[in-house]
Every structure is written in C-alpha cells, then in structure tokens.
Amino acid sequence: MSDSEESIPDRGYYRRLQAAVEALLILKGVIAEGDVEKERNAMDARDHHAGARMIARAWVDASYKSRMLGDAAAAAHELGINIGAMRLIAVQNTPSLHNVVVCTLCSCYPRMLIGRPPEWYKSREYRSRIVREPRTVLKELGLVVPEHVVIRVHDSNAEMRYIVMPEQPAGTEGWSETALAELVTRDCLIGIELPQVA
Amino acid sequence: MVQVTDEVAALFCVNDHVKVRFAEPPGHVRIPHYCRGQVGVIERMCGTFPNPEELAYGRRGLPAQPLYRVRFAIHELWANYVGNLSDCVEVEIYQHWLQSMQ
C-alpha cells in the first residue's frame, strides 16, 4: 500500500509551532543546535530491514524463534540490533491466526526497530476501523483473510510495541536468511500483507 | 512499621475475567474509549509501569501500576459484527482501570 498524506488542517501552524519550540529549547540549553536534525536523520536511517532480519532468523532457527516469541527485545539485541529501551512483543501468525497491529490512540509503532510509521498507519480511518471491522479494512488493503482464520488486532496503546511474525511462505525451504529477509516487507511486520514469493 | 513500596501488587492472573472501568476523567488517559465498561480476559502481564496519567503532568507516576494485555471479543465490542466470533482485539490496560469479575 502506498503512503498517502493525510490532510492535516493548517499544517503551517504546526510547522511554526515546532520551529518556535525548537528555538526555545536551544535558547534554554535543553538541546543543542542541530540535535533535532540529527535525531530526524537517525530516524530516517531506520527501516524495516532490521525487523525482517529477525523474522528470517526465526524461520531458519527454531530456538531463536522461541526466544523471540518469549522476549522479542532480547532477541533483537541478540542480533546486534539496538532498539534502546523499547519493549517489544512478536506475535506469530499460524494457519488459523492472523495478527495485525494498530495504535488507536496515536501512532505508537516500533520505530527503534523498523523506522517511522507510514502515513496511513497514523490516519484516523485506519486507527478507528481496524479494531471494528478488521476483515473489511484488510480486504481494502488487499489482504483477504479466510473466515476460518481468527484475526487478532493488537492495540499498541501503552507501553509495548509489536511486530507480526508471518509464516514462512511455502517453497522457500532451504533459502538463505538473506533471501528470506527480502520477502519480509514493512507491511508484513504490521500485518496488512503476507510475504510473497515472486 | 509501614512498608513503603513504589509499585502496586498485581491483582490479576492470566485468564482472569476483568471489567474495564467506565469513566471519563480529563487529562492524558491511555485507555481507549471502545473498551471502557467492557469485559475481557487477561492475556498476559506486561510488568509494572509509572502511571502515564500522572507522568503527563510532570509527576513521578508512583506507585507504578501493573499493566496487562486484555483480550476482548470484537463481536462483544461492536454490534452487528460480521466475522469469526473468535476475532479479538488485545489492549494494554493499567490495573487501576480494571475491576474483578469474581
């Protein structure tokens, strides 16, 4: 799914507010000139590849998978991925269960692992509808979940962050971890897409 | 001597049925409206955390509150739900928002 800009009324007002607050924080010595830019660049440098690497490892290594399902934050650190103090839960898809993640209150998302959330994830429409009519929303996003498969929606409304562990696609047995990781898109980790073998 | 602790003891266990308080206090509340007043089941305990309703106003948020993931059946949250009856939403809820069903 492509990222569409949600229309925010009077974006200019918030830009000016942000600039004013940043200038005040610098003036008061809370942050230094360039800190915001530095942090923004660090955020932009993170993307879903770190999460994809964890999934691929879980697919090829059953004991890593069980450690990841027990404590996903520790499993990230185990692969040398720095996610700071983020508390992470991995939720596993099975033939009878599909997981999908939302933050109905704002835009909580495992940014330290997979970067900034897409615009649609922050949209009021996704946030309000996915907990009410997940099957319809997923279908609109291109994912038809069969009736017998249970849908579990995870509201990332407080302290924990979530990534979905999709099932390894059939026919990819014996693939390298690198090749497997390439099948895992950002949207697979949110739960609105399944890994596809071209 | 009074024992002073900075966290509240956990009252609930996995699989307990709990009811979310129905309240509309002002301020920074992280309990979604759609689950207030609803009954769910404890899916897991997540640990104890300073109360965000207090943190938002620069206080320490202590004593820390146990945080649970509570599972709600979607067809119980919304009328006329079309889908699998086991479809569910899991929400993180601080203990001071939960009431025992015993």
Side-chain angles (χ1 to χ4, degrees):
Chain A
M1 173 179 185
S2 67
D3 299 355
S4 63
E5 279 277 298
E6 189 182 13
S7 70
I8 296 170
D10 199 7
R11 215 171 233 278
Y13 168 82
Y14 292 105
R15 287 237 168 86
R16 290 196 298 280
L17 181 66
Q18 179 257 315
V21 170
E22 183 179 343
L24 276 170
L25 289 170
I26 292 167
L27 197 66
K28 288 176 176 290
V30 178
I31 57 172
E33 192 105 33
D35 276 359
V36 170
E37 183 64 19
K38 222 184 294 169
E39 189 51 41
R40 197 180 283 138
N41 291 338
M43 272 183 152
D44 286 342
R46 294 185 202 111
D47 64 21
H48 72 280
H49 288 105
R53 204 146 68 78
M54 293 176 68
I55 302 297
R57 173 64 60 89
W59 284 345
V60 301
D61 180 344
S63 80
Y64 181 81
K65 181 196 264 185
S66 78
R67 288 197 298 283
M68 182 170 164
L69 292 170
D71 184 345
H77 294 303
E78 190 181 322
L79 295 192
I81 301 165
N82 173 23
I83 59 166
M86 186 174 75
R87 294 172 188 85
L88 186 67
I89 292 178
V91 288
Q92 185 184 15
N93 286 352
T94 71
S96 57
L97 177 68
H98 180 79
N99 294 282
V100 59
V101 182
V102 65
C103 170
T104 60
L105 297 184
C106 46
S107 58
C108 296
Y109 185 82
R111 292 161 198 253
M112 282 297 287
L113 179 67
I114 62 176
R116 290 206 260 192
E119 287 294 326
W120 59 261
Y121 182 88
K122 302 185 274 186
S123 71
R124 282 177 190 274
E125 187 180 358
Y126 178 75
R127 287 160 44 209
S128 57
R129 291 182 60 216
I130 194 76
V131 289
R132 186 172 191 145
E133 43 175 356
R135 287 176 189 272
T136 311
V137 173
L138 289 173
K139 194 172 168 191
E140 288 169 8
L141 295 174
L143 180 64
V144 176
V145 179
E147 185 69 28
H148 69 275
V149 175
V150 169
I151 294 183
R152 196 173 282 169
V153 183
H154 301 269
D155 195 343
S156 182
N157 62 302
E159 312 284 350
M160 318 305 285
R161 299 294 175 264
Y162 300 88
I163 55 165
V164 174
M165 182 190 291
E167 287 187 279
Q168 181 172 350
T172 61
E173 298 77 14
W175 284 29
S176 72
E177 256 181 82
T178 316
L180 288 170
E182 279 172 22
L183 301 176
V184 183
T185 63
R186 175 197 71 196
D187 291 353
C188 291
L189 297 171
I190 304 174
I192 66 151
E193 194 175 273
L194 296 177
Q196 301 297 328
V197 180
Chain B
M1 200 178 124
V2 179
Q3 184 77 31
V4 181
T5 58
D6 60 359
E7 64 178 45
V8 176
L11 294 177
F12 305 111
C13 303
V14 171
N15 293 329
D16 280 359
H17 285 68
V18 287
K19 184 172 186 172
V20 183
R21 278 171 45 215
F22 187 86
E24 299 197 353
H28 180 77
V29 176
R30 296 214 63 90
I31 309 302
H33 268 90
Y34 66 81
C35 69
R36 295 188 196 176
Q38 301 286 339
V39 173
V41 176
I42 304 277
E43 187 264 342
R44 76 176 79 180
M45 217 273 193
C46 300
T48 55
F49 296 90
N51 183 351
E53 294 155 39
E54 299 285 320
L55 290 180
Y57 293 93
R59 303 190 192 114
R60 295 174 67 211
L62 300 177
Q65 287 286 337
L67 179 73
Y68 304 90
R69 304 192 71 234
V70 181
R71 179 177 297 168
F72 301 93
I74 297 184
H75 74 93
E76 288 178 6
L77 293 179
W78 315 102
N80 308 317
Y81 179 67
V82 179
N84 191 309
L85 288 182
S86 298
D87 288 352
C88 59
V89 181
E90 294 184 355
V91 187
E92 296 167 33
I93 302 183
Y94 299 88
Q95 182 165 282
H96 65 291
W97 275 87
L98 294 176
Q99 296 167 327
S100 172
M101 294 292 288
Q102 313 310 322

